[in-house]
Amino acid sequence: MNDRELDIADYNQFRQFLEHQCGIVLGENKMYLVKSRLGPLMNKFSIDSLSELVRRSMAISERALRSAVLDAMTTNETLWFRDVYPFELLKTKLFPEFANLKRPLKIWSAASSSGQEAYSIAMSLLEFKQKNPGALSHGIQVVGTDISNKVLAQSKEAVYDGLSLARGLSDERKKRFFEPADDNKMQVKKEVSSMVSFRHLNLLDSYSLLGKFDIIFCRNVLIYFSPDVKKKILAQFRGSLNPDGYLILGASESISGLSEDYSMIRCNPGIIYQRKN
């Protein structure tokens, strides 16, 4: 067998391991994804075959390898102002609704990847306040969480290369919200990054230490989980939302048949969910 091939028994065992560790469900036809994401780790850890790497990653004693494997399997590409409409809804519906709040508005970017969503939320607030100077006078606190320590480190650094900056950012926003950094990269300005913090979190674990939020973004994440795990996460989100708080999912995601804890609100465009009290 080629050293980059994966035995079907090892693949099936790894599927169970990944679901247990972080809730992600790999279909029977996703072996190619494991090969492409874990293949580069063979050289890094001096392991001769992909099957051996997978087997060793499931051992409790292999903490560094396990962490690298989970990072590789859970890191997803993202972009700035993804899908556009959720950030427009912030400025046209949600920020105005919370405009007179006597404390910071708290927003959670769950599974925040390399930070683009969390920083896009903060940029949206600055754009809103430019047109509404007296609103949300206490500002916002955005918390981004992810299971991957690798992308969390990148998020905290807030430095992005040209390829990352080309994905969803207008020239106007680049000029307004970024400043030059080393190696022809750009760094998010302090007025944006000061509103955002990042923490490690597995969505299968408790959220209690994060506190309560007014808005939760969890977009294009639930699609990777089984129905039972989706129900668990939605219930925990409900517990993390303040009364009448909002949950924003991905454009193709629905909670139909999974939770009765939210009221669906049709917007133009898009759908958001409000916590029932």
Side-chain angles (χ1 to χ4, degrees):
M1 185 169 66
N2 186 302
D3 62 2
R4 295 254 172 175
E5 290 300 311
L6 189 59
D7 181 87
I8 188 66
D10 289 330
Y11 174 67
N12 287 331
Q13 190 175 0
F14 182 69
R15 289 170 59 199
Q16 295 175 12
F17 166 77
L18 193 65
E19 183 171 2
H20 177 74
Q21 290 294 314
C22 53
I24 290 178
V25 178
L26 282 180
E28 294 180 4
N29 60 342
K30 292 295 177 69
M31 189 185 289
Y32 73 91
L33 190 64
V34 176
K35 292 178 183 178
S36 65
R37 293 198 174 188
L38 300 190
L41 297 180
M42 290 169 59
N43 287 335
K44 181 177 180 180
F45 288 90
S46 301
I47 296 175
D48 293 332
S49 75
L50 192 57
S51 279
E52 182 188 356
L53 185 146
V54 165
R55 286 194 294 268
R56 283 174 54 178
S57 73
M58 293 185 280
I60 296 175
S61 58
E62 297 275 4
R63 294 183 64 180
L65 176 59
R66 175 182 290 213
S67 177
V69 164
L70 291 177
D71 268 357
M73 292 305 303
T74 57
T75 301
N76 295 293
E77 285 198 22
T78 186
L79 60 154
W80 306 92
F81 296 90
R82 183 173 184 175
D83 298 329
V84 181
Y85 77 85
F87 305 96
E88 291 303 313
L89 282 177
L90 282 177
K91 292 187 285 186
T92 59
K93 174 177 171 57
L94 300 182
F95 287 161
E97 193 169 309
F98 291 104
N100 298 317
L101 203 61
K102 303 303 181 187
R103 57 167 175 79
L105 180 69
K106 292 198 65 181
I107 303 177
W108 177 13
S109 170
S112 55
S113 189
S114 43
Q116 283 91 326
E117 179 177 81
Y119 289 129
S120 295
I121 293 169
M123 293 175 199
S124 298
L125 185 277
L126 291 173
E127 291 173 347
F128 173 75
K129 284 182 70 67
Q130 186 176 30
K131 295 182 178 179
N132 304 271
L136 286 167
S137 58
H138 294 269
I140 64 172
Q141 294 175 356
V142 184
V143 178
T145 65
D146 204 278
I147 193 175
S148 167
N149 288 315
K150 181 179 178 181
V151 295
L152 285 171
Q154 182 181 346
S155 300
K156 292 173 184 176
E157 188 180 27
V159 174
Y160 298 90
D161 61 21
L163 187 61
S164 299
L165 292 168
R167 293 170 59 82
L169 271 182
S170 65
D171 288 339
E172 179 186 354
R173 281 172 170 156
K174 286 180 198 174
K175 291 176 184 175
R176 180 176 177 189
F177 298 123
F178 291 82
E179 57 193 10
D182 295 337
D183 301 322
N184 294 317
K185 296 180 179 180
M186 299 288 282
Q187 180 156 24
V188 177
K189 286 184 178 179
K190 196 70 177 176
E191 66 169 337
V192 177
S193 61
S194 63
M195 290 186 263
V196 185
S197 62
F198 294 94
R199 296 178 61 173
H200 180 271
L201 182 77
N202 186 333
L203 287 175
L204 299 188
D205 296 339
S206 170
Y207 311 158
S208 59
L209 294 180
L210 293 177
K212 299 281 189 176
F213 295 91
D214 302 296
I215 303 169
I216 296 175
F217 277 65
C218 184
R219 303 168 60 230
N220 309 297
V221 178
L222 293 183
I223 53 175
Y224 296 105
F225 299 134
S226 69
D228 285 344
V229 172
K230 289 178 185 178
K231 290 176 183 177
K232 176 179 183 287
I233 290 172
L234 288 167
Q236 288 186 229
F237 280 157
R238 197 262 182 199
S240 296
L241 280 170
N242 283 320
D244 298 321
Y246 292 95
L247 172 64
I248 301 177
L249 301 178
S252 63
E253 294 173 311
S254 168
I255 67 171
S256 177
L258 297 171
S259 176
E260 300 294 329
D261 291 334
Y262 304 87
S263 300
M264 184 174 70
I265 300 175
R266 294 187 180 277
C267 305
N268 188 19
I271 292 171
I272 59 177
Y273 298 91
Q274 187 170 33
R275 180 193 136 159
K276 292 179 181 176
N277 297 323

